[in-house]
Amino acid sequence: MKSEQDHDWLFLAGIGNSGNSHWQRHWQAGQNNCLWLEHRDWEAPQCEEWVEELQRMLQSLTRPVVIVAHSLGCLLLLEWAARHESDKILGAFLVAVPDPDSDHFPSQALGFRPADRLSAPFPLTIVASENDPYGDLAYVGRSAQRLGCAFRNLGALGHINGKSRLGQWSQGFELLQDFRRSLSA
């Protein structure tokens, strides 16, 4: 990411937060125009609380943001968009969107709805893995269609998290840059 931009990057992590081996942390570490939403409770997310934490952060911003969300962070953003508006969000790059109706969805995460039942008033792109245990391709494809956004299946990358051992994840970073350029077009 180049540092001379007209926006900041806002990272939304999933349950448990993104650790040091996660691509989100690698991307954040290389930039000085990044924001990270911290939650009071990372282990037992409550949708209403997480949405309000995001709302407070967005209200405090002075510059527009492009959101880079992973897993439950994707659903957080979509839940926020169902309740609030902001002219600060230029677009969002959603990676590994989970399905709250799946048997694998963490039972401690309460109140989140599936992405295929939500919408957003800003540009989105969704990146998925064909063997993600938290969101199968049929669900993610329906979600992308419902949201009216681009959808990329990147093959077998698991949940596209630290356990996927992607490091800097250059393929994803290139997709993010393509998405950012599309926002300027």
Side-chain angles (χ1 to χ4, degrees), residues 91-107:
F93 187 76
L94 309 179
V95 179
V97 179
D99 182 358
D101 290 339
S102 112
D103 293 338
H104 299 286
F105 191 78
S107 60

Side-chain angles (χ1 to χ4, degrees), residues 19 21-24 26 70-71 95-96 127-134 154-171:
S21 65
H22 198 288
W23 56 267
Q24 281 187 311
H26 288 286
H70 178 257
S71 192
V95 179
V127 176
S129 164
E130 62 192 34
N131 64 339
D132 186 341
Y134 300 103
L154 298 185
L157 296 178
H159 191 48
I160 314 178
N161 59 6
K163 291 179 184 175
S164 299
R165 298 181 183 163
L166 299 170
Q168 296 279 345
W169 191 34
S170 59
Q171 180 186 26

Side-chain angles (χ1 to χ4, degrees), residues 41-138:
D41 188 346
W42 284 101
E43 303 307 320
Q46 306 294 310
C47 181
E48 295 302 322
E49 180 179 25
W50 276 33
V51 165
E52 287 310 310
E53 289 167 340
L54 177 55
Q55 173 65 4
R56 282 192 299 274
M57 175 172 249
L58 289 170
Q59 287 176 324
S60 73
L61 297 179
T62 58
R63 290 170 29 106
V65 292
V66 173
I67 294 179
V68 180
H70 178 257
S71 192
L72 196 58
C74 302
L75 296 183
L76 162 61
L77 177 62
L78 296 172
E79 289 286 358
W80 174 88
R83 298 166 174 81
H84 301 281
E85 293 180 9
S86 174
D87 59 357
K88 297 284 193 227
I89 299 175
L90 299 175
F93 187 76
L94 309 179
V95 179
V97 179
D99 182 358
D101 290 339
S102 112
D103 293 338
H104 299 286
F105 191 78
S107 60
Q108 66 271 32
L110 300 176
F112 294 89
R113 294 177 288 172
D116 62 0
R117 296 185 203 150
L118 297 165
S119 62
F122 40 80
L124 303 167
T125 196
I126 293 178
V127 176
S129 164
E130 62 192 34
N131 64 339
D132 186 341
Y134 300 103
D136 66 37
L137 285 180

